[in-house]
Amino acid sequence: MFPYILRRILLMIPTLFGIMLLTFTVTQFVPGGPVERMIADLEGSASGGEVSASATTLYQGSRGLDPERIEQIKALYGFDKPPVERFFSMMKNYILFDFGSSYYHHQSVVDLVISKLPVSMSLGLWTFIIVYSTCIPLGIKKAIRDGSRFDVFSSTIILIGYAIPGFVLAIVFIVLFGGGSFWNIFPLRGLVSDNWHELGLMAQILDYLWHMVLPITASTVGSLAVMTLLTKNSFLEEIRKQYVLTARAKGLSENQVLYHHIFRNAIIPIITGFPGSFITAFFTGSLLIETIFSLDGLGLLAYESILNRDYPVVLGTLYFFTILGLISRLLSDLSYVVVDPRITFDSVESS
């Protein structure tokens, strides 16, 4: 086990390095970086007028500034050094999880991400719990009753939900239940009410859950179909195998056949995706859902960072989330061996 884990970790290093190098290289050619934006802002302030979009490209806005002032602006953002030196200096800091400070928000990247985590964790974790707790039993029941009215009806419902984009469903919820045109039942802004700290413990919990109903429902509906059908097909495949007929011929009850024989084999494809889904649930941000329901989370932060060329946030979060993604892939491979002892590390590696 240890040699396999060590090999996978060693493979993560060039993968992570390559992703960061590619992204860093792309940022060097994108116009409207922090230096250009600062110069354009200074030019706009000096002229007393608004700054046009074209003024932020290249260094057209620097013609009226003193060259020494321009060099000071470059040094402020670290652009006074060659790109190669800046990249390796950045990676050296990132190894120590020092992501610097945001150009736009003027605070530590780590503190900024932590401040946005409650929203993304609320959306991701509740979606994860609802999807797994609903889809596995529903998929098993659909497999057992394959072809029945229940199977056809439930498949129709979940496929309709899958076909509707989450942001469209969110808008429908706002119109129907958020005071749009019909009923004003659910709140539409933030995780909690403004007077949340004045409420009792039970009232705080209910207030938080009340705020989460619409965004979680909108983000969950589309995920139900994939997991449900995956569970159903996995169980159907096992139900049709020879060992199931043998178990029934021995006189075992349907529950014994299902939960003692079929379940442990059919659940493997679902469980192996559990580690990655669980880790992702804590750090997943949905831009559209967060924007529609006025939730300030990681999805909105990522969008604003790209829009404002906030490179410390873009590159820092990319580095951290890439590490999480690589670790989740490793945990998924290890879960194969834990769930099914017949699988060896050699077979996992060869696949």
Side-chain angles (χ1 to χ4, degrees):
M1 178 185 293
F2 180 75
Y4 172 76
I5 297 176
L6 181 61
R7 286 195 297 269
R8 287 295 301 270
I9 293 176
L10 292 177
L11 286 173
M12 291 180 186
I13 297 175
T15 303
L16 178 63
F17 185 86
I19 292 174
M20 296 304 300
L21 178 60
L22 178 62
T23 308
F24 180 84
T25 303
V26 170
T27 61
Q28 304 309 300
F29 297 98
V30 176
V35 175
E36 292 94 324
R37 292 174 68 90
M38 174 66 78
I39 291 173
D41 289 342
L42 292 176
E43 281 291 310
S45 300
S47 62
E50 295 183 357
V51 182
S52 64
S54 61
T56 62
T57 60
L58 300 179
Y59 285 91
Q60 296 175 1
S62 63
R63 296 174 182 173
L65 290 180
D66 186 86
E68 183 178 351
R69 183 70 178 276
I70 296 175
E71 293 301 321
Q72 292 176 351
I73 296 174
K74 291 182 179 179
L76 176 65
Y77 292 107
F79 283 82
D80 57 328
K81 301 175 183 177
V84 175
E85 182 180 348
R86 285 190 283 116
F87 175 75
F88 283 101
S89 176
M90 179 190 74
M91 292 302 296
K92 179 182 177 181
N93 293 331
Y94 282 8
I95 291 174
L96 303 175
F97 290 95
D98 179 10
F99 302 126
S101 298
S102 166
Y103 295 154
Y104 184 72
H105 296 276
H106 305 293
Q107 66 178 113
S108 167
V109 173
V110 175
D111 294 338
L112 186 61
V113 171
I114 291 175
S115 68
K116 310 295 183 181
L117 272 181
V119 170
S120 297
M121 286 177 62
S122 295
L123 289 174
L125 193 57
W126 279 114
T127 300
F128 170 82
I129 293 173
I130 293 173
V131 167
Y132 269 85
S133 61
T134 302
C135 293
I136 292 179
L138 179 60
I140 294 174
K141 189 171 183 179
K142 284 173 64 63
I144 296 173
R145 302 178 61 179
D146 181 43
S148 65
R149 290 183 178 179
F150 168 78
D151 180 38
V152 174
F153 177 76
S154 58
S155 294
T156 303
I157 295 299
I158 61 175
L159 288 176
I160 291 174
Y162 179 73
I164 301 175
F167 70 92
V168 174
L169 194 60
I171 295 173
V172 172
F173 285 160
I174 289 177
V175 173
L176 291 179
F177 307 112
S181 301
F182 293 88
W183 303 282
N184 186 10
I185 300 176
F186 296 99
L188 299 177
R189 182 177 297 275
L191 288 178
V192 294
S193 301
D194 295 335
N195 63 337
W196 186 78
H197 295 286
E198 303 174 2
L199 303 175
L201 177 60
M202 184 56 64
Q204 288 180 339
I205 295 174
L206 293 176
D207 182 73
Y208 163 75
L209 294 176
W210 204 241
H211 278 75
M212 286 289 98
V213 169
L214 294 186
I216 290 174
T217 304
S219 62
T220 300
V221 170
S223 304
L224 294 176
V226 176
M227 185 61 65
T228 301
L229 295 179
L230 174 63
T231 304
K232 175 190 173 181
N233 293 334
S234 179
F235 273 81
L236 271 180
E237 182 180 356
E238 295 297 324
I239 289 173
R240 294 166 180 169
K241 289 185 177 179
Q242 185 64 40
Y243 75 88
V244 177
L245 297 176
T246 304
R248 287 170 176 166
K250 291 181 179 179
L252 297 180
S253 66
E254 286 299 319
N255 284 338
Q256 289 177 318
V257 173
L258 177 62
Y259 293 107
H260 292 176
H261 297 276
I262 298 175
F263 187 86
R264 65 180 184 180
N265 294 321
I267 204 67
I268 291 175
I270 294 96
I271 294 299
T272 50
F274 187 92
S277 300
F278 185 75
I279 293 176
T280 305
F282 285 90
F283 304 99
T284 300
S286 175
L287 170 62
L288 294 175
I289 297 297
E290 291 176 7
T291 302
I292 292 172
F293 291 102
S294 301
L295 300 172
D296 191 10
L298 291 177
L300 191 59
L301 173 65
Y303 174 74
E304 290 179 346
S305 300
I306 295 173
L307 195 65
N308 294 302
R309 307 295 192 269
D310 199 347
Y311 296 144
V313 177
V314 174
L315 295 172
T317 53
L318 175 66
Y319 177 86
F320 181 65
F321 294 150
T322 301
I323 291 178
L324 286 180
L326 294 171
I327 292 175
S328 66
R329 289 294 300 273
L330 174 60
L331 293 177
S332 296
D333 286 347
L334 295 178
S335 64
Y336 273 104
V337 183
V338 174
V339 174
D340 190 354
R342 296 171 298 178
I343 300 176
T344 63
F345 284 103
D346 292 334
S347 63
V348 171
E349 188 175 15
S350 62
S351 62

